[in-house]
């Protein structure tokens, strides 16, 4: 089952975003509900403490939580989606909001991928996918797309093909700029790791 998790960052409606496969389930996390109108989608459940959705009107069932809680609203939305059987999660509105929330979401996406879920993050023009040894990536991207591999840990054996500067079993230090701002040269890009955890990001329009 595919679920969209609407979160509180920015959202730019792009041709790439409009081609996103339709979801089986849509869960809005607090202020992320405002993206429903842009996407032209219904919301199956609206969850959170509702501290960032003042004045927002949405015809959807609510699951209200206290502000003093141990999970972010995005994590609450993920819990709901998983309980309903979702194994593919697309976080819509993932970038451009509060840095702490965006960083927690990106790091949390690695944990979800480690637990066997398929994860994508997008704000329409920016996208990211977790890269783990257990989950290599094959991405269909237009040649000339800016692509980066963000080393969230020390990386061992990074192989990257279909780009201007390919790599074969490279070891990349955590946080290195070596793998930032590459460029796709083929319509299919592949990335794999022997050890560590990374996020592959792309700028798409």
């Amino acid at each position: 089952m595919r679920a969209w998790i609407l979160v509180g960052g920015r959202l730019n409606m792009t041709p790439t975003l409009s081609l996103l496969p339709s979801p089986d389930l849509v869960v809005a996390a607090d202020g992320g509900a405002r993206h429903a109108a842009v996407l032209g989608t219904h919301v199956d459940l609206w969850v959170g403490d509702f501290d960032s959705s003042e004045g927002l009107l949405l015809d959807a069932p609510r699951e209200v939580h206290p502000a003093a809680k141990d999970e972010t609203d995005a994590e609450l939305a993920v819990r709901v989606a998983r309980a309903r059987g979702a194994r593919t999660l697309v976080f819509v509105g993932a970038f451009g909001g509060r840095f702490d929330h965006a960083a927690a979401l990106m790091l949390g996406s690695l944990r979800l991928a480690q637990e066997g879920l398929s994860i994508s993050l997008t704000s329409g023009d920016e996208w990211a996918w977790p890269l783990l040894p257990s989950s290599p990536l094959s991405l269909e991207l237009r040649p000339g797309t800016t692509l980066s591999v963000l080393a969230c840990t020390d990386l061992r054996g990074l192989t990257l093909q279909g780009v201007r500067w390919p790599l074969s079993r490279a070891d990349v230090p955590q946080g290195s700029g070596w793998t930032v701002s590459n460029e796709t040269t083929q319509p299919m890009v592949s990335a794999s790791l022997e050890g560590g955890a990374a996020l592959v990001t792309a700028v798409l329009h």
Side-chain angles (χ1 to χ4, degrees):
M1 176 188 287
R2 177 186 301 272
W4 287 359
I5 309 295
L6 309 185
V7 293
R10 62 176 172 77
L11 184 65
N12 293 323
M13 198 64 198
T14 61
T16 302
L17 185 61
S18 68
L19 296 175
L20 197 62
S22 298
D24 304 297
L25 176 70
V26 178
V27 184
D30 203 343
R34 70 180 183 274
H35 300 320
V38 177
L39 295 164
T41 188
H42 70 286
V43 171
D44 295 293
L45 187 64
W46 192 6
V47 305
D49 55 23
F50 295 90
D51 66 347
S52 58
S53 52
E54 184 177 354
L56 183 59
L57 300 177
L58 185 69
D59 183 17
R62 292 190 181 200
E63 183 179 292
V64 181
H65 293 260
K69 58 187 186 301
D70 296 329
E71 296 171 287
T72 65
D73 294 329
E75 288 177 309
L76 295 172
V78 167
R79 180 147 55 87
V80 167
R82 296 184 72 174
R84 297 193 181 189
R87 300 292 297 171
T88 297
L89 303 181
V90 182
F91 291 92
V92 182
F95 308 112
R98 275 179 48 180
F99 174 78
D100 54 349
H101 281 272
L105 185 61
M106 287 185 281
L107 294 173
S109 74
L110 295 172
R111 174 176 50 80
L112 294 171
Q114 288 168 341
E115 294 172 1
L117 278 71
S118 174
I119 305 295
S120 304
L121 304 101
T122 183
S123 279
D125 55 347
E126 292 184 283
W127 293 70
W129 304 268
L131 176 63
L132 301 170
S134 59
S135 55
L137 292 173
S138 293
L139 302 172
E140 190 173 347
L141 301 171
R142 181 182 303 172
T145 297
T146 299
L147 179 139
S148 298
V149 179
L150 305 181
C152 300
T153 67
D154 290 341
L155 304 183
R156 181 170 53 84
L158 171 63
T159 296
L160 187 61
Q161 298 179 331
V163 295
R164 184 176 180 184
W165 294 288
L167 294 171
S168 178
R169 303 187 68 188
D171 294 338
V172 182
Q174 182 180 25
S176 172
W178 180 21
T179 50
V180 173
S181 292
N182 210 325
E183 182 181 312
T184 62
T185 57
Q186 303 294 326
M188 187 65 69
V189 173
S190 63
S192 63
L193 275 179
E194 295 175 7
L199 283 167
V200 175
T201 69
V203 179
L204 304 176
H205 300 289

